Amino acid sequence: MILSIGEILADMVGESNKEGLTFKAFVGGAPFNVAVNAKQSGSKVGFISRIGKDVIGRFCLSQAEKFGLDSLNLQQDENRNTTIAFVTLTDGERDFAFNRHDTADYNIDFDEIDFKKYNDLNIIQLGSLMLSENAGKAFAEKVAKKAKELKVKLSFDLNFRTDIFGDFESAKAAYKPYIESADILKFSDDELKLYTGIEDINDAVKSIARENQLITITLGSRGSMYYYNGKSGVVPTEKVKPVDTTGAGDAFFGTFLANIENKDYTENNIISAMEKANKAGARATQFLGAIKL
Protein backbone atom coordinates (compact mmCIF):
# COMPACT_ATOMS: atom_id res chain seq x y z
CA MET A 1 0.00 0.00 0.00
CA ILE A 2 1.02 3.59 -0.70
CA LEU A 3 -0.08 6.24 1.82
CA SER A 4 0.10 9.82 0.51
CA ILE A 5 -0.06 12.63 3.07
CA GLY A 6 -0.41 16.34 2.36
CA GLU A 7 -2.63 18.98 0.84
CA ILE A 8 -5.85 18.59 -1.08
CA LEU A 9 -7.17 21.83 -2.54
CA ALA A 10 -9.19 23.40 -5.32
CA ASP A 11 -7.31 24.34 -8.48
CA MET A 12 -9.19 27.30 -9.95
CA VAL A 13 -8.14 27.18 -13.61
CA GLY A 14 -8.65 30.51 -15.37
CA GLU A 15 -9.50 31.11 -19.01
CA SER A 16 -9.70 34.48 -20.74
CA ASN A 17 -12.88 35.40 -22.61
CA LYS A 18 -14.61 38.56 -23.75
CA GLU A 19 -16.18 39.02 -20.30
CA GLY A 20 -12.79 38.79 -18.57
CA LEU A 21 -11.21 35.85 -16.74
CA THR A 22 -13.41 32.85 -15.86
CA PHE A 23 -12.30 30.25 -13.33
CA LYS A 24 -13.40 26.62 -13.16
CA ALA A 25 -12.76 24.52 -10.05
CA PHE A 26 -10.89 21.20 -10.14
CA VAL A 27 -9.81 19.10 -7.17
CA GLY A 28 -6.03 18.99 -6.84
CA GLY A 29 -3.02 19.25 -4.56
CA ALA A 30 0.17 17.35 -5.38
CA PRO A 31 -0.13 14.60 -2.70
CA PHE A 32 -3.76 13.94 -3.67
CA ASN A 33 -2.86 13.87 -7.37
CA VAL A 34 -0.07 11.38 -6.61
CA ALA A 35 -2.51 9.21 -4.65
CA VAL A 36 -5.06 9.16 -7.47
CA ASN A 37 -2.46 8.31 -10.11
CA ALA A 38 -1.00 5.53 -7.95
CA LYS A 39 -4.49 4.10 -7.49
CA GLN A 40 -5.25 4.36 -11.23
CA SER A 41 -1.98 2.52 -11.86
CA GLY A 42 -3.08 -0.47 -9.79
CA SER A 43 -1.77 0.13 -6.27
CA LYS A 44 -3.71 0.03 -3.05
CA VAL A 45 -3.66 3.66 -1.89
CA GLY A 46 -4.59 5.74 1.14
CA PHE A 47 -4.69 9.52 1.45
CA ILE A 48 -4.61 11.79 4.50
CA SER A 49 -5.22 15.54 4.52
CA ARG A 50 -7.14 18.30 6.30
CA ILE A 51 -9.85 20.57 4.89
CA GLY A 52 -12.04 23.33 6.24
CA LYS A 53 -15.77 23.09 6.80
CA ASP A 54 -16.31 25.53 3.95
CA VAL A 55 -17.65 25.36 0.41
CA ILE A 56 -14.22 24.47 -1.01
CA GLY A 57 -13.74 21.78 1.61
CA ARG A 58 -17.11 20.25 0.78
CA PHE A 59 -16.20 20.38 -2.91
CA CYS A 60 -12.86 18.63 -2.29
CA LEU A 61 -14.49 15.94 -0.16
CA SER A 62 -17.24 15.22 -2.69
CA GLN A 63 -14.72 15.02 -5.54
CA ALA A 64 -12.17 12.97 -3.60
CA GLU A 65 -14.77 10.32 -2.81
CA LYS A 66 -15.29 9.69 -6.54
CA PHE A 67 -11.77 8.35 -7.12
CA GLY A 68 -12.20 5.13 -5.18
CA LEU A 69 -9.13 5.33 -2.96
CA ASP A 70 -8.80 2.42 -0.57
CA SER A 71 -8.61 4.76 2.41
CA LEU A 72 -9.58 8.44 2.49
CA ASN A 73 -9.01 10.40 5.70
CA LEU A 74 -9.90 14.09 5.30
CA GLN A 75 -9.82 15.70 8.73
CA GLN A 76 -12.26 18.62 8.97
CA ASP A 77 -11.09 21.84 10.59
CA GLU A 78 -13.70 23.92 12.42
CA ASN A 79 -11.67 27.14 12.33
CA ARG A 80 -9.65 27.17 9.09
CA ASN A 81 -10.50 27.39 5.41
CA THR A 82 -9.45 25.04 2.62
CA THR A 83 -6.58 26.12 0.37
CA ILE A 84 -7.32 27.47 -3.10
CA ALA A 85 -4.79 27.64 -5.96
CA PHE A 86 -5.55 30.01 -8.84
CA VAL A 87 -4.01 28.70 -12.05
CA THR A 88 -3.68 30.75 -15.23
CA LEU A 89 -2.57 29.13 -18.47
CA THR A 90 -0.46 30.39 -21.36
CA ASP A 91 0.06 27.83 -24.16
CA GLY A 92 -0.58 25.05 -21.65
CA GLU A 93 2.02 26.30 -19.14
CA ARG A 94 0.70 27.42 -15.78
CA ASP A 95 1.23 30.18 -13.24
CA PHE A 96 0.05 29.62 -9.66
CA ALA A 97 -1.28 32.01 -7.04
CA PHE A 98 -2.27 30.44 -3.71
CA ASN A 99 -4.93 31.63 -1.27
CA ARG A 100 -3.32 30.06 1.77
CA HIS A 101 -3.19 31.96 5.08
CA ASP A 102 -3.60 29.77 8.17
CA THR A 103 -5.48 27.21 6.09
CA ALA A 104 -6.22 23.61 7.01
CA ASP A 105 -3.75 21.82 4.74
CA TYR A 106 -0.63 22.31 6.88
CA ASN A 107 -2.48 21.79 10.17
CA ILE A 108 -3.07 18.03 9.87
CA ASP A 109 -3.44 16.53 13.35
CA PHE A 110 -0.91 13.70 13.67
CA ASP A 111 -2.71 12.28 16.71
CA GLU A 112 -5.87 11.73 14.65
CA ILE A 113 -4.05 9.31 12.32
CA ASP A 114 -4.39 5.61 13.09
CA PHE A 115 -1.36 4.10 11.36
CA LYS A 116 -2.30 0.64 12.63
CA LYS A 117 -5.07 0.35 10.06
CA TYR A 118 -2.51 0.56 7.22
CA ASN A 119 -1.21 -2.93 7.95
CA ASP A 120 0.17 -3.59 4.45
CA LEU A 121 1.95 -0.27 4.09
CA ASN A 122 5.06 -0.08 1.87
CA ILE A 123 5.53 3.61 1.01
CA ILE A 124 4.62 6.88 2.73
CA GLN A 125 4.58 9.75 0.25
CA LEU A 126 4.99 13.10 2.03
CA GLY A 127 3.90 16.39 0.48
CA SER A 128 6.29 19.33 0.64
CA LEU A 129 3.97 22.38 0.73
CA MET A 130 3.41 21.90 4.47
CA LEU A 131 7.11 22.63 5.07
CA SER A 132 6.51 26.35 4.47
CA GLU A 133 4.89 26.65 7.93
CA ASN A 134 6.10 25.70 11.40
CA ALA A 135 3.03 23.56 12.12
CA GLY A 136 3.60 21.68 8.87
CA LYS A 137 7.29 21.19 9.63
CA ALA A 138 6.51 19.71 13.03
CA PHE A 139 3.93 17.38 11.48
CA ALA A 140 6.30 16.27 8.70
CA GLU A 141 9.00 15.43 11.24
CA LYS A 142 6.56 13.12 13.02
CA VAL A 143 5.57 11.43 9.76
CA ALA A 144 9.21 10.85 8.77
CA LYS A 145 9.93 9.41 12.22
CA LYS A 146 6.87 7.16 11.92
CA ALA A 147 7.97 5.88 8.52
CA LYS A 148 11.30 4.86 10.01
CA GLU A 149 9.58 3.25 12.99
CA LEU A 150 7.28 1.26 10.68
CA LYS A 151 10.24 0.31 8.46
CA VAL A 152 8.51 1.57 5.31
CA LYS A 153 9.98 3.66 2.52
CA LEU A 154 9.63 7.45 2.72
CA SER A 155 8.97 9.18 -0.60
CA PHE A 156 9.38 12.95 -1.15
CA ASP A 157 8.73 15.34 -4.04
CA LEU A 158 10.47 18.71 -3.87
CA ASN A 159 7.58 20.54 -5.64
CA PHE A 160 8.95 24.08 -5.15
CA ARG A 161 6.46 26.98 -5.33
CA THR A 162 7.86 30.52 -5.24
CA ASP A 163 4.66 32.10 -3.88
CA ILE A 164 4.50 29.59 -1.02
CA PHE A 165 8.09 29.79 0.22
CA GLY A 166 9.01 33.26 -1.08
CA ASP A 167 12.74 32.61 -1.45
CA PHE A 168 14.49 29.37 -2.29
CA GLU A 169 17.02 29.47 0.54
CA SER A 170 14.31 29.12 3.21
CA ALA A 171 12.68 26.41 1.12
CA LYS A 172 16.01 24.60 0.73
CA ALA A 173 16.54 24.56 4.49
CA ALA A 174 13.07 23.06 4.95
CA TYR A 175 13.60 20.44 2.23
CA LYS A 176 17.11 19.41 3.29
CA PRO A 177 16.22 16.83 6.01
CA TYR A 178 13.89 15.02 3.59
CA ILE A 179 16.26 15.17 0.63
CA GLU A 180 18.81 13.50 2.88
CA SER A 181 16.52 10.93 4.53
CA ALA A 182 13.91 9.94 1.92
CA ASP A 183 14.25 6.57 0.21
CA ILE A 184 12.62 7.80 -3.01
CA LEU A 185 12.99 11.35 -4.35
CA LYS A 186 11.50 13.31 -7.21
CA PHE A 187 12.82 16.55 -8.68
CA SER A 188 12.20 18.44 -11.87
CA ASP A 189 15.45 19.25 -13.66
CA ASP A 190 15.05 22.94 -12.78
CA GLU A 191 14.45 22.13 -9.11
CA LEU A 192 17.53 19.89 -8.95
CA LYS A 193 19.75 22.59 -10.47
CA LEU A 194 18.28 25.20 -8.12
CA TYR A 195 18.68 23.01 -5.04
CA THR A 196 22.28 21.98 -5.74
CA GLY A 197 23.47 25.11 -7.55
CA ILE A 198 25.02 22.80 -10.16
CA GLU A 199 24.06 23.24 -13.83
CA ASP A 200 25.13 19.83 -15.10
CA ILE A 201 22.33 17.45 -14.16
CA ASN A 202 24.60 14.41 -13.77
CA ASP A 203 26.91 16.26 -11.40
CA ALA A 204 23.92 17.74 -9.59
CA VAL A 205 22.30 14.39 -8.82
CA LYS A 206 25.61 12.83 -7.77
CA SER A 207 26.14 15.67 -5.28
CA ILE A 208 23.03 14.77 -3.26
CA ALA A 209 22.63 11.01 -3.80
CA ARG A 210 23.14 8.62 -0.93
CA GLU A 211 23.41 4.84 -0.84
CA ASN A 212 20.21 2.93 -1.73
CA GLN A 213 18.32 6.16 -2.48
CA LEU A 214 16.27 6.10 -5.68
CA ILE A 215 16.12 9.51 -7.37
CA THR A 216 13.90 10.48 -10.30
CA ILE A 217 14.14 13.71 -12.27
CA THR A 218 11.51 14.86 -14.74
CA LEU A 219 12.97 16.48 -17.86
CA GLY A 220 9.84 17.88 -19.54
CA SER A 221 9.57 16.95 -23.20
CA ARG A 222 12.86 15.02 -22.97
CA GLY A 223 11.38 12.43 -20.61
CA SER A 224 12.90 11.56 -17.22
CA MET A 225 16.10 10.44 -15.55
CA TYR A 226 16.88 8.06 -12.71
CA TYR A 227 19.86 7.64 -10.41
CA TYR A 228 20.40 4.70 -8.05
CA ASN A 229 23.66 3.55 -6.44
CA GLY A 230 25.85 5.06 -9.14
CA LYS A 231 23.73 3.91 -12.08
CA SER A 232 21.71 6.37 -14.11
CA GLY A 233 19.82 6.71 -17.35
CA VAL A 234 17.43 8.88 -19.31
CA VAL A 235 14.08 7.44 -20.36
CA PRO A 236 12.54 9.36 -23.32
CA THR A 237 8.87 10.23 -23.57
CA GLU A 238 6.36 10.80 -26.35
CA LYS A 239 6.00 14.33 -27.68
CA VAL A 240 2.63 15.97 -27.06
CA LYS A 241 1.19 19.48 -27.32
CA PRO A 242 0.09 20.39 -23.78
CA VAL A 243 -3.34 21.75 -22.98
CA ASP A 244 -2.57 22.15 -19.27
CA THR A 245 0.61 20.94 -17.55
CA THR A 246 -0.96 21.08 -14.06
CA GLY A 247 -0.40 17.74 -12.35
CA ALA A 248 1.88 16.23 -14.99
CA GLY A 249 4.70 15.71 -12.49
CA ASP A 250 2.25 14.23 -9.99
CA ALA A 251 0.93 11.83 -12.64
CA PHE A 252 4.50 10.80 -13.34
CA PHE A 253 5.37 10.23 -9.70
CA GLY A 254 2.17 8.47 -8.64
CA THR A 255 2.47 6.10 -11.57
CA PHE A 256 6.16 5.54 -10.87
CA LEU A 257 5.55 4.72 -7.20
CA ALA A 258 2.80 2.26 -8.11
CA ASN A 259 5.04 0.48 -10.59
CA ILE A 260 8.12 0.31 -8.36
CA GLU A 261 6.31 -0.67 -5.15
CA ASN A 262 7.32 -4.15 -3.91
CA LYS A 263 9.95 -4.50 -6.65
CA ASP A 264 13.72 -4.68 -6.50
CA TYR A 265 15.46 -1.58 -7.79
CA THR A 266 17.01 -3.25 -10.81
CA GLU A 267 17.63 -1.18 -13.94
CA ASN A 268 14.91 -3.08 -15.80
CA ASN A 269 12.34 -2.47 -13.09
CA ILE A 270 13.23 1.21 -12.75
CA ILE A 271 13.14 1.83 -16.50
CA SER A 272 9.87 -0.06 -16.89
CA ALA A 273 8.28 2.02 -14.11
CA MET A 274 9.60 5.24 -15.64
CA GLU A 275 8.29 4.40 -19.09
CA LYS A 276 4.79 4.00 -17.64
CA ALA A 277 5.26 7.14 -15.57
CA ASN A 278 6.33 9.16 -18.63
CA LYS A 279 3.18 8.10 -20.48
CA ALA A 280 1.01 9.08 -17.52
CA GLY A 281 2.70 12.47 -17.29
CA ALA A 282 2.16 13.11 -21.00
CA ARG A 283 -1.52 12.08 -20.76
CA ALA A 284 -2.03 14.47 -17.85
CA THR A 285 -1.18 17.44 -20.08
CA GLN A 286 -4.03 16.66 -22.47
CA PHE A 287 -6.92 17.93 -20.31
CA LEU A 288 -7.68 20.79 -17.93
CA GLY A 289 -6.98 20.12 -14.27
CA ALA A 290 -4.54 17.71 -12.67
CA ILE A 291 -6.60 14.49 -12.58
CA LYS A 292 -9.73 12.99 -14.06
CA LEU A 293 -11.97 10.00 -13.44
Side-chain angles (χ1 to χ4, degrees):
M1 183 181 201
I2 297 170
L3 179 62
S4 186
I5 306 175
E7 74 277 1
I8 186 172
L9 48 78
D11 283 324
M12 306 295 291
V13 180
E15 292 185 299
S16 296
N17 52 51
K18 59 184 179 182
E19 285 84 23
L21 191 60
T22 302
F23 286 92
K24 185 174 181 180
F26 298 88
V27 67
F32 181 68
N33 299 340
V34 168
V36 168
N37 279 279
K39 176 62 180 177
Q40 292 177 342
S41 297
S43 278
K44 185 177 180 182
V45 178
F47 177 68
I48 297 171
S49 189
R50 192 171 182 90
I51 56 175
K53 284 192 171 181
D54 53 11
V55 63
I56 298 299
R58 291 192 294 274
F59 167 76
C60 289
L61 176 58
S62 67
Q63 293 297 303
E65 289 174 338
K66 296 178 181 178
F67 287 91
L69 298 177
D70 298 280
S71 176
L72 179 65
N73 179 4
L74 298 188
Q75 300 173 4
Q76 292 187 300
D77 198 306
E78 298 279 354
N79 303 310
R80 299 179 178 89
N81 289 328
T82 310
T83 302
I84 302 172
F86 292 94
V87 187
T88 52
L89 302 172
T90 304
D91 296 327
E93 295 299 324
R94 69 261 161 89
D95 286 314
F96 281 91
F98 286 86
N99 184 355
R100 186 176 180 261
H101 177 67
D102 194 28
T103 45
D105 73 274
Y106 54 86
N107 285 284
I108 303 171
D109 189 338
F110 183 84
D111 294 332
E112 285 188 29
I113 302 172
D114 180 12
F115 283 96
K116 291 179 182 176
K117 74 177 185 178
Y118 307 108
N119 54 14
D120 51 356
L121 188 58
N122 296 305
I123 298 172
I124 293 179
Q125 159 62 17
L126 183 63
S128 64
L129 240 59
M130 66 180 74
L131 299 177
S132 66
E133 304 292 336
N134 288 333
K137 289 177 183 176
F139 173 79
E141 287 175 8
K142 292 177 181 178
V143 171
K145 183 179 179 181
K146 192 67 176 179
K148 189 172 182 179
E149 176 188 316
L150 295 172
K151 295 182 171 57
V152 301
K153 289 182 169 61
L154 180 67
S155 170
F156 184 73
D157 177 2
L158 195 74
N159 197 28
F160 176 58
R161 294 281 178 263
T162 54
D163 53 352
I164 292 292
F165 287 93
D167 67 280
F168 190 76
E169 288 307 309
S170 60
K172 183 176 179 179
Y175 294 143
K176 190 173 186 288
Y178 304 94
I179 299 298
E180 292 178 349
S181 65
D183 300 286
I184 307 171
L185 285 174
K186 177 192 163 291
F187 294 84
S188 70
D189 51 351
D190 289 337
E191 288 168 344
L192 180 61
K193 292 173 185 177
L194 193 58
Y195 183 83
T196 62
I198 300 171
E199 188 65 26
D200 181 86
I201 197 165
N202 292 291
D203 292 339
V205 72
K206 288 176 185 177
S207 74
I208 59 154
R210 66 174 178 82
E211 188 178 8
N212 297 328
Q213 185 180 56
L214 177 55
I215 303 175
T216 65
I217 306 114
T218 54
L219 307 173
S221 61
R222 291 179 292 132
S224 56
M225 175 182 173
Y226 69 89
Y227 188 93
Y228 180 68
N229 284 347
K231 295 181 179 179
S232 64
V234 172
V235 181
T237 189
E238 59 185 292
K239 299 290 192 295
V240 296
K241 182 173 175 147
V243 173
D244 177 9
T245 59
T246 305
D250 305 329
F252 169 90
F253 203 37
T255 304
F256 179 77
L257 291 177
N259 283 279
I260 204 67
E261 183 188 11
N262 285 326
K263 292 183 180 175
D264 294 331
Y265 293 168
T266 65
E267 285 189 88
N268 284 342
N269 285 343
I270 293 171
I271 290 170
S272 176
M274 293 188 76
E275 287 173 341
K276 294 180 177 72
N278 283 346
K279 289 179 181 178
R283 283 195 303 270
T285 70
Q286 300 302 289
F287 52 85
L288 289 177
I291 48 178
K292 68 176 182 178
L293 291 168

